[in-house]
Every structure is written in C-alpha cells, then in structure tokens.
Amino acid sequence: MNDKIQVITKHALNKSDETRIKTLTSRALAAKHTLESGSGAGNDFLGWLHLPTSIDEKHLQDIENSAAQLRKDCEFVITIGIGGSYLGAKCVIEALSDHFAAYKPGGTKVLFAGSNIGEDYLYDLMDLVRGHKFGIIVISKSGTTTEPGIAFRLFKDMLEKQEGKEFAMRNIIAVTDAHRGALRGLATQEGYVTYVIPDDVGGRFSVLTPVGLLPIAVAGFDIRALVAGAVEMERDGDEQILNYAIARNVLYQNGKKIEILANFTPRLHYVAEWWKQLYGESEGKQHKGIFPASVDFTTDLHSMGQWIQDGERTIFETVLSVGDQQHEVTIPADEKDLDGLNYIAGKNVDYVNKMAELGTRVAHVDGGVPNLIITMPAVTERYLGQLIYFFEKACGVSGYMLGVNPFDQPGVEDYKRNMFALLNKPGYEEQSAAIRARLKM
Ligand code: PA5
C-alpha cells in the first residue's frame, strides 16, 4: 500500500460522467487558486492553509511541557469545549487509544465536557473525578460559548474547593483568542497558562493548533508525527485533495445529495464526527450543500444497511479504508464446529472484516450507491495528520466550487438567540417577549 492516503474514484464515477468531470475539474482548479491566492470569501480565515509547515520546534516543545505538567499532577484532565473546540482532539484521541483505556489502570485519562448541556452527564463526570486529582483544559475561541462556559464554571469551582487555588491555577490551561472574550479576561485574572487560537483559524479548522495538540499530547500521543503527516499533505497532497473535491461534486450534480462517510474500523467513529462538522458547517449554506452523514460498519450494516442498499437513491458513500490493524487476533479452530465457523478458522479477524468491506462495496455499487474510497495505510498519528489536512483543504476547495463561503457559520446563531431570549439573558429583552408570545408561554 502507498505511504500516503489515496482517493480511489473508479467505483464512484464512470464513462457517463466524463463531461461533468471535465467541467468540475476546471472549477476545482479555479477554486484551489481562489483558496491559495486568498481571493475568495472568508479569506481572513485561511490561517490553517499553511499551518502545518509553520509550526516550529519551540511551539511543540511548549505544548509538550504543558502536557507533561498536567500528566504529572493529574489522574484526569477534563477537556472543555464544543464543536471545533473539541471534535478534533476527540477524533484523534479516540482513533489512537486502546478502546478500553477508560477501564484499564494507569496513565492520565482525557475526558470531555462542555459539548452538551446534559445535567446527568455533568453530574456523572463530577462524581467520577470527586476525590481524584484532576486538571482542566478549557477551550473556546470566542470565550463566551454557553455549553463550555457552564462546564468550566462547575469544574473550576469543584477543583478549587477540592485541591485549593494554587493547584487549580497550576492545572487549568485556557486555549482562547489572544485578546477577546470572557475566557481571556478570566484566564489573565486567574494567572492561568494560556494558548492562543489564531485569529485567522476557525474552530473546525483548528485541530492542529493548541486546540487539538494540547489534549492530544496530554493523552500521550505523538503530536510531532501528527504535524509531520499534515506537512506531507500540505506539501504534496493536492492531487488527492482535488480528486476528492471533484468526485464528490460530480456525484452531487448527479443528484447524490447525501455523502455517507463509512468506516470498518471502530476507532474511526469520531473521525466521522469531526468530518461532519467540517463539511456540514462549511458547505450547508444558501440552501445548498451535500449533507454529511456517517456509519460505522459492519455494525450499521445491521441497522442502516437496508436503507443504504435499498432506500432512496440520493446517497453516495465515502469509505475510509484502513490497511493494517495494530494487533492480530486469529480465529481458533473448533473440533465440533457447532457454530459452523471453521471455514474461517486460522484467519485473522481483520481478514474477515476486509472481505466484509469488499462484499459491501460490490453490493452497494450494484444497488446504485457510488463508492469513493479513501485508503489509509494504518491508523497512526502520521496518517491521521495527513487525513486531517486532506479533508480540510478539500473542504475549502469544495466549498468554493459550490459557490459558498466555507469559513463562516451564520446559521448556528439562530438557536442561540432564541435560547438566550428564553433564559432572559441581559440584552435579549425584546426577543424574549417575542419568542414567549410565539410559544404561548
Ligand atoms: O467551527 C466552529 O466555528 C464552531 O464549531 C465553534 O468551534 C464552536 O461553536 C465553539 O466555539 P468557541 O470556540 O468560540 O467556544
């Protein structure tokens, strides 16, 4: 297998697509130019484009030192953030971790909060860390987001009461804007170590800033290899990036309105969650955009498999196909063969999984579901770094091909306005009366 992630389009596009491919190739090249020359909409948010090659030794060392401090003092580190301020770290940590690390002793455990307003979730997490040494990484670019704000207030209060102000000051790190927002003011006042989210990097493109790198380092993973992988894609990934951007836009024009990111590797579940935010927030605008969905196979073949095989033909699949597993497990022979599985005795579990992947591809293509394939040699820091940059740049190109600004998210403000009005937040008095009248409250 190649040492870089690759895009295979032959199960997704065919002869009848030739004209469309030609037109969209020109459009993709123009979009890439717009992106690289910084001449398109949202061009003040392009800091991620050359981020991998701009990260220096001093920055990495600094993050590793902070991570070492948290690992030294803390059994748990609660990473607080939502959307782009948590999904990148969550996806990399989940992809690289032992699936059952939470139940195994040893090592600092990275836990997440502030990505929901679940009272029971917060109660259970507080219950878990009570009486244990814990630290906090609080991440918010705006510094004013409600979900992480509530979680931080709770865990800061708990930590200060449990371990004292001095321990809390040493083991709370804030990642936020250089100047703006309540979190910046609070961090300065309290004397926390802070990291800056660059002005020109939006949340969903921020995984290679301290937003992602710090929690990933705390979890014990190699952020240098992650960044090195992204550098490889920044320097030499354009062919694959364009292949993906062009193919998904051809499919969209063919009426395939939903892209399902499928994996056959359970550790990739959160890669899909990160990807959904990246593409959903970037492209879903002006009543346009491919709807990003995801499935975990073979698990979901037993739930969503029927719909994918036989439901409305508005979907295509992008399969994240992984080469090597980290470990080998061989299926044993059984003399009695009561379960009838001796036909696969002596095979690795992954061999069976690979046959499931091939069988599914043929079935879905035959059923009218084009399959794009992204091959990934293995799930390592390096290949995850490649994948992150690959998806980010393809997203910028694809968004410009669609004719939207891929770097804003005006639509996410609407629910917040209503929520603040209903919570009687100061400044929302007028909206409060209006929404209460509409809801007959
Ligand atoms: O991608 C984005 O811009 C959003 O998902 C934000 O990251 C998310 O809303 C969190 O915002 P903030 O970091 O300001 O708390």
Side-chain angles (χ1 to χ4, degrees):
M1 208 181 237
N2 207 292
D3 74 336
K4 242 196 242 105
I5 60 164
Q6 300 280 314
V7 179
I8 299 170
T9 59
K10 67 180 178 203
H11 306 290
L13 306 176
N14 51 50
K15 265 216 139 327
S16 62
D17 293 314
E18 265 172 17
T19 315
R20 216 158 243 171
I21 293 171
K22 226 170 149 198
T23 313
L24 288 171
T25 299
S26 312
R27 197 182 297 173
L29 289 169
K32 178 170 144 358
H33 175 75
T34 304
L35 185 71
E36 289 174 346
S37 61
S39 55
N43 57 1
D44 42 350
F45 284 99
L46 295 178
W48 56 272
L49 192 57
H50 299 296
L51 182 65
T53 48
S54 73
I55 297 173
D56 62 18
E57 167 62 27
K58 191 167 161 287
H59 185 59
L60 290 172
Q61 190 61 61
D62 186 24
I63 290 175
E64 284 168 349
N65 291 346
S66 293
Q69 160 58 36
L70 288 170
R71 286 170 70 82
K72 176 169 77 67
D73 274 4
C74 307
E75 211 177 316
F76 297 104
V77 172
I78 302 173
T79 296
I80 296 177
I82 193 166
S85 287
Y86 104 101
L87 279 165
K90 176 86 176 165
C91 107
V92 173
I93 292 171
E94 290 276 320
L96 295 171
S97 294
D98 177 328
H99 296 84
F100 301 102
Y103 305 99
K104 294 182 181 173
T108 300
K109 314 281 186 213
V110 176
L111 306 169
F112 291 87
S115 61
N116 58 52
I117 324 179
E119 188 157 4
D120 288 348
Y121 182 97
L122 288 164
Y123 177 91
D124 290 346
L125 187 52
M126 291 169 83
D127 192 43
L128 176 73
V129 299
R130 189 168 293 115
H132 295 268
K133 295 265 190 282
F134 72 93
I136 301 172
I137 303 171
V138 55
I139 307 170
S140 176
K141 186 168 186 199
S142 62
T144 55
T145 308
T146 311
E147 292 89 338
I150 293 170
F152 184 52
R153 183 179 277 217
L154 285 167
F155 286 102
K156 173 182 184 288
D157 178 65
M158 186 178 176
L159 186 61
E160 286 174 351
K161 287 186 176 138
Q162 187 172 293
E163 306 294 340
K165 268 277 206 197
E166 205 258 323
F167 180 96
M169 194 183 92
R170 209 170 53 239
N171 290 296
I172 295 177
I173 297 180
V175 185
T176 188
D177 185 88
H179 309 289
R180 285 181 300 256
L183 182 57
R184 169 55 59 187
L186 188 156
T188 308
Q189 187 108 8
E190 299 281 10
Y192 299 151
V193 168
T194 61
Y195 287 92
V196 170
I197 309 174
D199 264 356
D200 56 359
V201 180
R204 58 189 176 275
F205 290 85
S206 70
V207 52
L208 298 172
T209 73
V211 169
L213 296 181
L214 180 60
I216 293 166
V218 172
F221 298 114
D222 182 352
I223 55 172
R224 287 162 193 269
L226 186 79
V227 171
V231 166
E232 289 174 329
M233 268 289 138
E234 183 189 328
R235 292 207 168 118
D236 192 26
D238 281 355
E239 190 185 337
Q240 302 307 320
I241 287 164
L242 286 171
N243 282 345
Y244 177 55
I246 294 163
R248 64 196 296 280
N249 278 286
V250 171
L251 294 166
Y252 184 49
Q253 289 203 355
N254 286 349
K256 305 297 185 188
K257 307 284 186 195
I258 300 166
E259 177 175 8
I260 303 179
L261 191 71
N263 72 75
F264 286 78
T265 311
R267 57 176 72 251
L268 295 184
H269 175 82
Y270 268 94
V271 169
E273 297 304 312
W274 169 81
W275 170 88
K276 282 193 281 191
Q277 189 209 357
L278 182 63
Y279 280 78
E281 264 191 357
S282 299
E283 292 195 315
K285 284 158 202 173
Q286 300 165 26
H287 298 175
K288 296 194 279 194
I290 297 169
F291 183 83
S294 66
V295 286
D296 298 320
F297 288 157
T298 62
T299 310
D300 291 334
L301 287 171
H302 297 258
S303 57
M304 294 303 289
Q306 172 60 37
W307 199 102
I308 293 170
Q309 189 67 46
D310 236 1
E312 204 179 338
R313 301 297 72 186
T314 46
I315 55 173
F316 68 97
E317 272 176 335
T318 298
V319 180
L320 279 179
S321 181
V322 174
D324 297 331
Q325 295 287 299
Q326 291 173 7
H327 307 286
E328 286 192 7
V329 176
T330 307
I331 299 166
D334 184 288
E335 210 179 305
K336 291 195 184 132
D337 196 25
L338 293 176
D339 54 11
L341 287 178
N342 268 356
Y343 74 102
I344 46 173
K347 303 284 188 210
N348 284 353
V349 172
D350 193 48
Y351 170 80
V352 180
N353 202 26
K354 293 276 191 293
M355 294 308 111
E357 183 177 331
L358 288 177
T360 305
R361 179 185 307 160
V362 173
H364 288 182
V365 171
D366 284 353
V369 181
N371 262 231
L372 277 175
I373 299 156
I374 297 173
T375 61
M376 194 178 175
V379 183
T380 61
E381 284 92 335
R382 176 184 170 201
Y383 296 123
L384 284 167
Q386 289 187 6
L387 192 70
I388 285 166
Y389 188 85
F390 163 85
F391 274 139
E392 286 181 351
K393 189 161 180 189
C395 183
V397 171
S398 198
Y400 280 149
M401 289 173 75
L402 192 66
V404 299
N405 173 358
F407 307 114
D408 66 359
Q409 54 284 326
V412 301
E413 295 309 314
D414 293 15
Y415 96 90
K416 290 185 196 168
R417 254 193 313 276
N418 292 339
M419 177 179 76
F420 292 147
L422 289 164
L423 288 169
N424 295 320
K425 185 172 177 174
Y428 287 80
E429 293 74 12
E430 217 172 284
Q431 289 102 319
S432 178
I435 194 165
R436 278 167 204 283
R438 273 185 65 189
L439 292 171
K440 301 191 181 12
M441 283 173 82

